[in-house]
């Protein structure tokens, strides 16, 4: 299989580095067993950066290796030691690279040497318990997890940055012309579609140096995908001027310079966006006797269309000096009018679902879905195996106003609450709570609120059990109402005055006695 040397389109699968986890640690010294929290923070994950390098002319490296991953951040340690930051991954791309997302939306247009794009941001490192300590929580028994880095698929499309674009039918002599006016040495042969990739040549005319590129394979219907031109038409979008290279010595029946010019112009018009480019016409191969005769027949008509026409020969060099100086004149004027391109650093920041750091609550068939930058980030940072960390998350959501918003929208205790993207969401049972203070905390890593009974959960369990023995005409709501009526009819425990959850006091030997075996003494 042939190995391509020029690739102008590539799809990259990118994964930025994950942030390192914070650490929960308590300083212990002689005569000072509890010296306070000293867990360090996790390091930042490495980002993936695209950087323009004018010495790179192709995307072939990414054609062979499309999956790229940055380095993860280091984990924190005790004694206030923070984890190291992951190393950024810098990927060099040619000047004129267009970056698109999977849907084809343009993320950035990278032009100018040194321009950089942070296309995948590394994850934040998690805070250690030293950074989480407060007046209420003096020695946290938990730390925050590092956040995952961005993972995305981007499409790179190269639009060659050239000053002059040569267009024309196959075998019109575009490659020969570039070889004659520059030091480029493209493949040249006497059959159509010899050129399979855009060729670039650096031309000097007087004090002006500029780049010339050809667009291979343009034929009638190229804008619809015929031939090779549909793959390379985008390379003329950045050109200051377009030069029509017209074959005056074609041996194909039915071909003439005027028709060839009109066909190519129609394809350029159908592609769009090129009407404002100045046009030059190069009647090539006038060194051939028939070629000179045909050029003499059409030159005045072309000039009558307000086109600058040059009779040239790539083989003998005739007319090339005048053509290159005309190109240089256009390039000089275009550069004078063009704004100065300064290298810049572009950072792609994913847009929040609700447009900011706030949040929104949406009722769905699955439950109440909470969307927002902060709630989703906090969920990613939480270690759900640690009760105190879960309690800390509940406090943060409560302070943000999530519980109040849910209550105002009609959420009931025990309802399902979903936070996070649909592909990796975390599901909770709604249980309004109060903010945890130091007096509510138990042992390190525990939260007493998470050990309370859940009435709503028990009610759902009772309803599920009741559905197994329900009457045929009963619906779920009927079962729920029947169980509620039975519970109210039973009432509280009269002997203890409690709410029915369990006796607060009892007489030994009675049915309220948890040790009574049912026999009479």
């Amino acid at each position: 299989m042939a190995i391509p040397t020029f690739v102008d389109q590539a799809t990259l699968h990118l994964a930025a580095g994950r942030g390192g986890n914070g650490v929960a640690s308590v300083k212990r010294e002689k005569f000072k067993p509890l010296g306070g929290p000293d867990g360090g923070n996790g390091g930042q994950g490495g980002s993936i950066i695209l950087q323009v390098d004018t010495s790179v002319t192709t995307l072939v490296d990414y054609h062979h290796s499309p999956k790229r991953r940055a380095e993860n951040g280091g984990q924190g340690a005790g004694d206030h030691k923070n984890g190291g930051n992951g190393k950024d991954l810098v990927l060099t791309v040619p000047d004129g690279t267009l970056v698109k997302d999977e849907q084809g939306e343009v993320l950035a247009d990278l032009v100018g040497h040194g321009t950089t794009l942070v296309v995948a941001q590394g994850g934040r490192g998690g805070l250690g318990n030293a950074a989480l300590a407060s007046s209420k929580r003096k020695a946290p028994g938990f730390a925050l997890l590092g956040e995952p880095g961005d993972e995305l698929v981007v499409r790179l499309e190269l639009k060659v940055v050239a000053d002059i674009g040569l267009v024309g039918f196959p075998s019109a002599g575009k490659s020969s012309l570039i070889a004659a006016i520059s030091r480029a040495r493209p493949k040249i042969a006497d059959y159509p579609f010899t050129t399979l990739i855009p060729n670039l040549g650096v031309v000097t005319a007087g004090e002006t140096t500029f780049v010339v590129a050809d667009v291979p394979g343009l034929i009638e219907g190229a804008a619809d995908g015929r031939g090779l031109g549909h793959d390379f038409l985008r390379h003329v979008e950045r050109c200051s001027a377009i030069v029509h290279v017209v074959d005056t010595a074609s041996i194909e029946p039915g071909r003439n310079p005027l028709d060839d010019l009109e066909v190519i112009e129609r394809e350029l018009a159908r592609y769009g966006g090129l009407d404002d480019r100045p046009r030059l016409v190069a009647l090539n191969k006038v060194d051939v006797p028939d070629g000179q005769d045909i050029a003499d027949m059409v030159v005045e008509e072309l000039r009558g269309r307000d086109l600058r026409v040059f009779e040239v020969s790539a083989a003998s060099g005739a007319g090339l000096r005048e053509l290159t100086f005309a190109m240089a004149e256009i390039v000089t004027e275009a550069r004078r009018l063009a704004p100065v391109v300064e290298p810049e650093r572009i950072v792609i920041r994913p847009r929040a679902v609700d447009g900011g750091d706030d949040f929104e609550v949406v009722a769905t068939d699955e439950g109440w879905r909470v969307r927002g930058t902060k709630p989703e980030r906090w969920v990613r940072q939480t270690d759900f195996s640690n009760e105190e960390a879960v309690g800390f998350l509940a406090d943060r959501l409560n302070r943000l106003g999530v519980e109040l918003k849910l209550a105002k929208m009609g959420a009931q205790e025990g309802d399902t609450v979903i936070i996070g993207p649909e592909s990796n969401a975390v599901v909770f049972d709604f249980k309004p709570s109060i903010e945890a203070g130091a007096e509510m905390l138990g042992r390190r890593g525990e939260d007493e609120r998470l050990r309370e009974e859940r009435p709503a959960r028990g009610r759902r369990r009772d309803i599920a059990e009741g559905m197994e023995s329900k009457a045929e005409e009963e619906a779920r709501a009927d079962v729920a109402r029947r169980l509620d009526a039975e519970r109210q009819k039973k009432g509280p425990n009269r002997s203890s005055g409690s709410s029915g959850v369990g006796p607060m006091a009892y007489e030994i030997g009675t049915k309220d006695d948890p040790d009574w075996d049912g026999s009479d003494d």
Side-chain angles (χ1 to χ4, degrees):
M1 183 177 68
I3 299 176
T5 57
F6 178 85
V7 174
D8 60 355
Q9 295 186 73
T11 299
L12 288 181
H13 301 260
L14 305 177
R18 184 183 185 91
N21 297 335
V23 165
S25 173
V26 174
K27 190 174 184 63
R28 301 180 186 276
E29 296 178 350
K30 189 176 182 180
F31 307 119
K32 199 174 183 180
L34 294 177
D38 67 345
N41 303 330
Q44 297 284 107
S47 299
I48 298 181
I49 301 172
L50 302 180
Q51 184 174 44
V52 175
D53 186 345
T54 52
S55 65
V56 178
T57 59
T58 176
L59 301 173
V60 66
D61 289 345
Y62 309 123
H63 174 76
H64 296 302
S65 302
K67 296 183 179 180
R68 302 299 176 103
R69 179 178 293 275
E71 191 176 81
N72 294 333
Q75 181 169 303
D79 200 19
H80 301 281
K81 294 179 180 178
N82 296 330
N85 294 333
K87 186 177 180 181
D88 292 338
L89 178 62
V90 179
L91 305 177
T92 56
V93 296
D95 193 6
T97 299
L98 205 62
V99 185
K100 298 181 178 181
D101 61 15
E102 283 187 282
Q103 289 71 40
E105 182 179 350
V106 176
L107 302 177
D109 190 358
L110 303 182
V111 179
H113 181 78
T115 298
T116 59
L117 167 67
V118 182
V119 65
Q121 190 81 41
R124 302 186 188 188
L127 297 179
N129 65 340
L132 296 172
S134 65
S135 59
K136 291 184 177 180
R137 186 180 274 106
K138 298 184 182 299
F142 68 98
L144 298 185
L145 303 178
E147 294 184 60
D150 294 338
E151 294 191 20
L152 70 162
V153 177
V154 297
R155 290 166 48 197
L156 305 183
E157 293 184 5
L158 174 59
K159 293 182 179 180
V160 169
V161 180
D163 299 292
I164 301 294
L166 305 183
V167 298
F169 270 73
S171 296
K174 300 185 294 298
S175 299
S176 299
L177 188 58
I178 284 184
I181 62 178
S182 73
R183 301 184 67 178
R185 293 295 176 262
K187 180 180 179 182
I188 299 172
D190 59 351
Y191 55 84
F193 301 111
T194 306
T195 304
L196 300 178
I197 62 174
N199 293 309
L200 298 178
V202 178
V203 181
T204 300
E207 297 181 353
T208 305
T209 300
F210 54 94
V211 178
V212 178
D214 72 343
V215 179
L218 269 181
I219 61 174
E220 186 172 9
D224 295 327
R226 292 190 63 200
L228 301 176
H230 69 290
D231 289 330
F232 303 115
L233 269 169
R234 64 178 175 277
H235 292 301
V236 298
E237 289 186 24
R238 302 188 191 275
C239 296
S240 302
I242 295 173
V243 176
H244 285 278
V245 181
V246 181
D247 186 357
T248 61
S250 175
I251 61 175
E252 294 184 30
R255 289 272 303 278
N256 67 77
L258 296 178
D259 290 344
D260 287 357
L261 181 64
E262 291 175 359
V263 168
I264 299 302
E265 277 292 341
R266 281 199 299 269
E267 295 306 318
L268 296 177
R270 293 181 65 186
Y271 183 76
L274 302 172
D275 294 338
D276 61 335
R277 306 295 195 281
R279 261 67 164 176
L280 301 177
V281 177
L283 298 176
N284 193 23
K285 302 182 183 180
V286 295
D287 57 307
V288 179
D290 290 342
Q292 183 64 65
D293 294 340
I294 294 177
D296 293 339
M297 294 171 57
V298 300
V299 64
E300 292 302 326
E301 182 172 348
L302 292 174
R303 288 172 177 165
R305 300 180 184 182
D306 294 328
L307 293 172
R308 298 180 65 182
V309 184
F310 300 86
E311 301 177 32
V312 302
S313 170
S316 66
L320 295 184
R321 178 178 173 81
E322 293 80 1
L323 176 62
T324 55
F325 272 84
M327 294 178 183
E329 179 184 337
I330 295 175
V331 170
T332 300
E333 180 64 15
R335 289 175 179 174
R336 185 182 68 82
L337 299 176
V340 178
V341 178
E342 296 289 344
E344 59 178 326
R345 179 180 174 87
I346 308 169
V347 180
I348 296 178
R349 302 189 185 280
R351 292 189 293 270
V353 176
D354 59 343
D357 284 341
D358 207 345
F359 68 94
E360 66 175 2
V361 178
V362 180
T364 66
D365 294 338
E366 294 81 13
W368 302 95
R369 183 173 288 277
V370 180
R371 296 174 175 168
T373 303
K374 286 184 177 179
E376 293 182 14
R377 184 174 74 239
W378 293 344
V379 165
R380 292 194 299 267
Q381 293 175 332
T382 301
D383 177 8
F384 287 95
S385 64
N386 186 301
E387 292 181 1
E388 192 177 351
V390 177
F392 179 71
L393 171 63
D395 293 342
R396 299 176 90 179
L397 295 175
N398 189 19
R399 288 194 296 270
L400 187 63
V402 174
E403 290 189 0
L404 182 60
K405 181 75 171 180
L406 285 166
K408 286 183 177 179
M409 294 185 66
Q412 301 295 321
E413 186 170 349
D415 285 355
T416 299
V417 179
I418 306 169
I419 303 179
E422 296 184 6
S423 59
N424 189 26
V426 178
V427 181
F428 303 89
D429 286 339
F430 180 51
K431 184 175 186 298
S433 61
I434 61 173
E435 185 174 345
E439 70 281 359
M440 292 192 63
L441 299 178
R443 300 170 59 186
R444 292 178 63 246
E446 297 180 355
D447 192 313
E448 294 298 329
R449 294 172 299 172
L450 302 181
R451 298 176 178 273
E452 296 175 0
E453 290 295 328
R454 305 291 296 275
R457 181 184 297 175
R459 183 171 182 270
R460 291 200 304 272
R461 184 175 61 248
D462 293 342
I463 293 173
E465 293 175 355
M467 289 291 290
E468 298 178 359
S469 59
K470 73 179 183 67
E472 183 176 353
E473 66 278 2
E474 278 188 316
R476 181 182 178 85
D478 298 324
V479 173
R481 282 192 290 270
R482 173 164 55 80
L483 292 175
D484 289 342
E486 292 176 356
R487 188 176 295 108
Q488 292 175 2
K489 184 177 179 181
K490 185 176 181 181
N493 191 310
R494 301 298 182 185
S495 63
S496 61
S498 71
S499 61
V501 175
M504 299 298 294
Y506 57 89
E507 182 180 347
I508 296 177
T510 66
K511 64 179 181 179
D512 294 331
D513 184 352
D515 296 324
W516 181 56
D517 58 4
S519 61
D520 295 331
D521 294 336

